[in-house]
């Protein structure tokens, strides 16, 4: 059930990396930890500037540390998956889960922020269409976790409109 270097090298290696970063979080200066978290954040700005780097760097951190229920369950499931399909395929499944989930939450935020810069008529039209599509996904209940994540992301993007428009006006003012 537990990862081993020979039986599940991908999971064991990844668990070792997570243990290392969790140790950094527990022992390092809080300012350094904050800077590392900020630098590896998969926010819209980082995804536009350095998509590859932050996509990899964001996978180095686990919420709650190595002993969190999430981390323990994740490693047990990844171990079982790797034993069944092999390390390379397990790594592929991991990446297919990590990258699209990141994009699924951040693209709506970026879209919503940029929509705030459109003219009022166009902004409302785009949001009605996009928001309607997201609500329909939720009603279909095919993937409620992703659907809620996208709606929350859209709401976060809309909440940033006052700040975005203020900065945009300040930059474009004569």
């Amino acid at each position: 059930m537990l990862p081993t270097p020979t039986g599940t090298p991908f999971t064991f290696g990844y668990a070792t990396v997570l243990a290392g970063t969790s140790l950094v979080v527990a022992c390092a200066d809080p300012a350094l930890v904050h800077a590392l978290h900020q630098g590896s954040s998969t926010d819209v700005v980082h995804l536009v500037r350095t998509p590859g780097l932050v996509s990899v760097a964001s996978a180095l951190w686990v919420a709650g540390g190595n002993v969190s229920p999430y981390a323990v369950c994740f490693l047990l499931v990844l171990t079982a998956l790797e034993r069944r399909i092999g390390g390379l395929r397990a790594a592929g499944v991991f990446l297919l889960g990590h990258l699209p989930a990141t994009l699924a939450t951040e693209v709506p935020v970026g879209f919503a922020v940029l929509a705030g810069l459109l003219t009022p008529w166009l902004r409302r039209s785009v949001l009605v269409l996009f928001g309607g599509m997201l609500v329909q996904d939720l009603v279909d209940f095919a993937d409620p976790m992703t659907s809620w994540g996208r709606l929350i992301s859209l709401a976060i993007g809309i909440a940033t409109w006052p700040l975005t428009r203020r900065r945009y006006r300040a930059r474009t003012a004569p």
Side-chain angles (χ1 to χ4, degrees), residues 1-137:
M1 288 188 58
L2 296 176
T4 62
T6 55
T8 54
F10 171 72
T11 305
F12 186 82
Y14 188 58
T16 303
V17 168
L18 291 179
T21 57
S22 293
L23 187 61
V24 168
V25 168
C27 298
D29 177 43
L32 173 63
V33 172
H34 179 74
L36 290 171
H37 281 148
Q38 291 301 311
S40 61
S41 172
T42 52
D43 58 24
V44 175
V45 173
H46 283 108
L47 284 171
V48 168
R49 289 186 184 157
T50 56
L53 177 64
V54 296
S55 295
V56 171
S58 68
L60 301 178
W61 309 102
V62 62
N66 284 341
V67 294
S68 71
Y70 169 79
V72 171
C73 291
F74 173 75
L75 290 174
L76 290 174
V77 167
L78 194 57
T79 298
L81 178 68
E82 185 172 0
R83 288 191 191 282
R84 177 164 296 243
I85 66 172
L88 193 57
R89 286 189 178 118
V93 169
F94 169 77
L95 289 173
L96 283 173
H98 177 68
L99 297 175
T102 298
L103 293 175
T105 58
E106 289 306 316
V107 168
V109 170
F111 176 77
V113 169
L114 293 174
L117 300 176
L118 301 174
T119 63
W121 181 88
L122 188 55
R123 176 175 56 237
R124 286 185 199 108
S125 300
V126 166
L127 287 177
V128 165
L129 289 171
F130 190 67
M133 181 182 70
L134 295 179
V135 169
Q136 184 60 48
D137 286 348

